[in-house]
Amino acid sequence: MLTGAAVLLGVTAGQAQAAEVAYATKCIPPAGIGLPDVNGTTKVEITAPATAKVGDTVDIVWKFTQAASKNPDIIDLPADSVQPSGTLKAAGAQTADIAMVGTRTNPAIPKGADMVLSDMKGTLKLTAVGQVALTPDAYVVNALSTDTKCAPTEPVQPAATITVTAAGGGSGSGSPSGSSSPSGSSSPSGSTSPSTSPSSSPSPSSSATGDGQTDFTGKVVDIPYTCDTPLGIKKATSPIQINAKKNSGSYDLTVQFKKSVMDSPIAIPAGKVKPTMQITLGGADTGSVKVEGPLNSAAIPQGQPIEIPNLVGTYKPGATGESTLSPGVLTIEAAGTTTTCTPDKTAVSLTLNTAEQASGASGGSGSSSGGSTSTSGGLAETGSGDHGTLKALGLVAGTAILLGGAVFTFMPRKRAGRAA
């Protein structure tokens, strides 16, 4: 009896309808890992009001009842690490692309298990009398900072239809859910965005001038890296600055990454990440100097910036003359795995007038020169926000998905053969 009453009341208010549609889907994983595209079947249930009036803004829910395939046998997906987004097509009395966005909410998904994607929501403002058909279209699954893009490979049938009548009396939302939903103008992209808040930059501070200078500030240089990660080769660019403080005949070095790395896709426990770098010497001196940072001392909450801390070390000159310091190989150790990033090209961040020290660096054939210490850079300081970080870096405790290690959320159980 209660169910019947609810149905009768729902008809006059624009009852919610839910209908499922299945369609062939092609999913393209992120490039650079060597896994093939995947063809599977997506099943979607669309919930929307059956009737509404012109001028109403209606809430729509997209529910995945079947993903195109299983979680691949690559890695366990942690809880709350997957977010879907997509586009729902409206056609008939009016046409529109409706942005649908889900939450980053999922249980832990083991390797080989069924994918679990949150419901996506969106809104549509009705503008014309008639039938408006709602049809699922392309969607993106963002998992651990990587995107898998999926699109239909066959015509898709409408999953729901709204009958729109002329405006009259009060207008209201035929919402199938009591919760608010994203605006139809929202971006369908589910990827997390890199943080753009810069780390504090040191200002040149000298306790003396001319020949007595002790503090030296390097130039910010953009360094493009090729990174060998546990899950493939990745490219990343980072602006780096090398600073020095004279300490007797040696120099205490500090290397700074000028921007935050990116927002963490999941929570990272303390003590899981340690970076090191080899600074390349040039000019009068040759060889390299190792600098390193501490383990992350605090847990990094999901959605908060991941930052590479200052890297420190000591440079003992092995030659007299103008010696240059440039960013070199960067190594990141996390949870038992290592990612090695080699510069595609480097640039001088700092030039020092050095005096040879016993047991110093390798030494070189550069001629000695006087004059004051200066800074120089082989690359222009662009200040570009787009190059403000190792943008692809996604550190995940326990699994160490480094520099965009791909998690392909729509993969078959059997992986393509890999070269040894």
Side-chain angles (χ1 to χ4, degrees):
M1 290 175 63
L2 289 173
T3 300
V7 169
L8 290 174
L9 289 172
V11 170
T12 61
Q15 72 182 64
Q17 56 171 332
E20 184 181 88
V21 63
Y23 55 95
T25 307
K26 181 178 183 178
C27 294
I28 302 175
I33 304 300
L35 292 176
D37 298 344
V38 174
N39 290 288
T41 299
T42 300
K43 293 183 180 180
V44 171
E45 183 181 276
I46 301 297
T47 301
T51 61
K53 295 181 175 65
V54 171
D56 285 354
T57 296
V58 295
D59 294 336
I60 303 169
V61 177
W62 170 324
K63 180 181 179 65
F64 289 93
T65 57
Q66 178 181 298
S69 191
K70 307 284 187 180
N71 180 30
D73 295 324
I74 298 176
I75 191 171
D76 296 334
L77 292 175
D80 302 335
S81 63
V82 180
Q83 181 181 32
S85 60
T87 302
L88 185 69
K89 296 284 189 180
Q94 72 180 88
T95 59
D97 289 344
I98 307 168
M100 307 294 293
V101 181
T103 58
R104 195 175 294 278
T105 306
N106 60 275
I109 306 174
K111 293 186 291 288
D114 291 337
M115 288 300 301
V116 181
L117 302 177
S118 65
D119 293 350
M120 301 194 299
K121 296 181 180 181
T123 61
L124 174 65
K125 184 171 183 178
L126 302 173
T127 60
V129 172
Q131 302 288 316
V132 177
L134 303 176
T135 304
D137 197 53
Y139 58 94
V140 175
V141 176
N142 180 267
L144 300 178
S145 79
T146 65
D147 286 340
T148 295
K149 299 179 180 180
C150 301
T153 57
E154 64 178 353
V156 183
Q157 296 299 312
T161 300
I162 303 173
T163 299
V164 184
T165 58
S171 64
S173 171
S175 172
S177 170
S179 61
S180 60
S181 60
S183 168
S185 60
S186 299
S187 168
S189 172
S191 61
T192 58
S193 61
S195 171
T196 57
S197 58
S199 301
S200 58
S201 300
S203 57
S205 58
S206 302
S207 59
T209 59
D211 293 340
Q213 184 176 356
T214 60
D215 292 88
F216 309 101
T217 302
K219 184 179 182 66
V220 177
V221 289
D222 285 336
I223 305 299
Y225 282 105
T226 296
C227 297
D228 186 0
T229 82
L231 293 179
I233 301 299
K234 290 293 172 183
K235 296 284 188 178
T237 298
S238 183
I240 299 172
Q241 183 178 40
I242 302 174
N243 302 308
K245 182 178 181 65
K246 193 170 184 180
N247 184 358
S248 297
S250 299
Y251 296 86
D252 296 329
L253 302 181
T254 301
V255 177
Q256 293 185 329
F257 287 77
K258 304 305 293 182
K259 301 281 185 177
S260 298
V261 176
M262 68 173 294
D263 292 344
S264 174
I266 65 167
I268 301 176
K272 293 296 183 180
V273 183
K274 183 177 181 62
T276 61
M277 175 186 281
Q278 295 292 334
I279 295 177
T280 301
L281 302 176
D285 214 347
T286 61
S288 63
V289 178
K290 181 180 179 181
V291 291
E292 60 184 357
L295 290 169
N296 58 312
S297 60
I300 305 172
Q302 179 180 348
Q304 295 300 305
I306 301 172
E307 297 184 0
I308 293 181
N310 289 347
L311 311 182
V312 297
T314 300
Y315 167 42
K316 180 183 288 189
T320 298
E322 286 193 350
S323 300
T324 61
L325 289 76
S326 306
V329 175
L330 171 69
T331 302
I332 300 173
E333 297 179 350
T337 68
T338 301
T339 287
T340 303
C341 298
T342 304
D344 297 335
K345 61 180 179 179
T346 192
V348 174
S349 175
L350 182 64
T351 301
L352 297 170
N353 280 334
T354 59
E356 182 178 354
Q357 303 295 306
S359 303
S362 300
S365 59
S367 61
S368 174
S369 62
S372 61
T373 303
S374 63
T375 62
S376 62
L379 294 177
E381 182 176 353
T382 64
S384 168
D386 289 340
H387 295 119
T389 176
L390 293 175
K391 289 185 281 189
L393 181 60
L395 299 175
V396 180
T399 55
I401 303 307
L402 300 176
L403 294 160
V407 177
F408 306 124
T409 56
F410 294 94
M411 291 286 143
R413 286 177 179 271
K414 183 178 290 186
R415 298 177 60 193
R418 297 186 300 174

